[in-house]
Amino acid sequence: MNNPKTPNPARKLRDDALAIWRAGVDAVDSQRLVEKNLRVEGDRLIFGDEALAIPLDQIGRIVVVGGGKAGAGMARGVETALGPEWLEKKQVTGWVNVPEGCVETLSHIWLHGARPAGVNEPTAAGVFGTREIIQLVQSLGPNDLCLCLISGGGSALLPAPQEPVTLEDKLTVTRLLSESGATIEELNTVRKQLSRIKGGGLLRACGSGRMVSLILSDVLGDPLDLIASGPTVPQTSDYREVLAILDRYDARENGISANVYELLRRKRWVENEPIACEVTNLVIGNNATAVDAAGTKSLELGYRYAMVSAPRSEGQAEEVGRHLAEMALSMRDQPGGRPDCLISGGEPVVSLIESSRRGLGGRNQQLVLAAMKALWDDGAERIAILSGGTDGEDGPTDAAGAVFDVETLRRAHESGIDLEDYLERNDAYSFFELMDGLIKTGPTHTNVCDLRVVLADQKKAK
């Protein structure tokens, strides 16, 4: 048993991994990012690093709309940046769709609970809120400014199915693609073609002469047309791409409604509506922002770090987990001045087992469990591995992700638990709940994909 006055090296690695991960999440705090990228200077409204400056006397009123997991913090940031004087002078009002757990009362912007916490799917409440947003932007005049707040999760929080497609039709499509391991790029390409608001639909509906969209990116590489399915970005895909994706995942054989194919058939003959509103899309934070800040924190804690933010979707979570385990072993066993901290960002996918056998978990928990399996025989001495979603939600769970170290692995060995069974059944949440390895933060009001930390103590115990 450890002397309570003697630091536990394993616990220190775990605590340091959590501190590094938390620093990355804090760096993409949505309110602070908005305040950094929106300010009033004299008689001008400034966006970004002087990327855009609009004379305030040229703006009639300001309407704020949007949706996403970071929506509440972003809306707070707008109200703080404009301040009471300009909020009143410009008759600021707005509507932003957010998860129910993020709803709060603001002075001028209405936050609408568009789905339950932990249920990342479109709902009837989301459809209602999206209709309100569309009506609001349609009411604007040419001298008004539409300010959009877009963040990850916006695809599910801003549902507006195009007829004849129904909400249930869209849910069926989304579930099929998600459970089949489709990438976020494939998912959002399909969503755009089935929606009134995505794929530039919000921009086409807007009656103002100018729109500015502040975007917190949850898609690797920051493709503007895919973040929240691009409501303020002109359509870049067409019906043929959607048909190819649906065929790739055998949609016709898996119960996809004929309404979906009817809408795509109509789109074959319809050109996109013209866009009269001038738009500026600004990415104010992304996965690289979080990775950079995590690296800075690791230096403060005395580590030598290497870091990478994946430029695109990474494939299966289990493969990423095994790779991180290999990197941990390499850092620990072949030091020679090499880094002892690996920070990475990305977003893998999980192929789900049939629902009758499926447990509870998310891609980060599945990734960490796969890494733990890879280190099962080694024992993970002097190693800690963590993976968490920056939004505080990992799949349909109340955990952001999971972490393990040598003590976690030792407890699992001693318990005789069948790790392979939990991994196969996508039941990583239940496993880490038993092993005290879950990371629970609640909503973080941000969302820039996932952040992972691998630490290796290169000094062998004497």
Side-chain angles (χ1 to χ4, degrees), residues 225-240:
D225 60 316
L226 293 180
I227 302 166
S229 303
T232 64
V233 182
Q235 184 70 267
T236 56
S237 61
D238 63 27
Y239 72 97
R240 287 166 292 198

Side-chain angles (χ1 to χ4, degrees), residues 412-445:
H413 272 293
E414 292 172 352
S415 71
I417 198 166
D418 187 352
L419 182 153
E420 178 67 36
D421 177 62
Y422 284 89
L423 189 64
E424 180 186 344
R425 293 187 297 102
N426 308 123
D427 199 20
Y429 183 96
S430 300
F431 177 90
F432 284 112
E433 188 173 40
L434 290 170
M435 296 296 122
D436 190 29
L438 293 173
I439 303 169
K440 294 188 178 183
T441 63
T444 61
H445 302 289

Side-chain angles (χ1 to χ4, degrees), residues 175 178-181 316 350-355 358 361-362 366 424-426:
R175 288 169 181 165
S178 297
E179 292 175 5
S180 300
Q316 294 294 317
V350 175
S351 295
L352 299 177
I353 198 169
E354 63 270 17
S355 58
R358 189 184 310 154
Q366 187 83 354
E424 180 186 344
R425 293 187 297 102
N426 308 123

Side-chain angles (χ1 to χ4, degrees), residues 23 58 63 81 99 103 161 163 221 246 252 259 302 306 338 385-386 392 402 454:
Q58 293 182 13
V63 163
V103 172
E163 293 182 353
L246 294 178
R252 292 181 189 273
N259 291 337
R338 297 179 64 184
I385 296 180
L386 177 156
V454 179

Side-chain angles (χ1 to χ4, degrees), residues 38 61 83 85 140 149 306 377 452:
L38 173 64
R61 62 188 178 115
E85 179 183 358
L140 293 171
L149 308 177
D377 293 333
R452 282 103 51 158

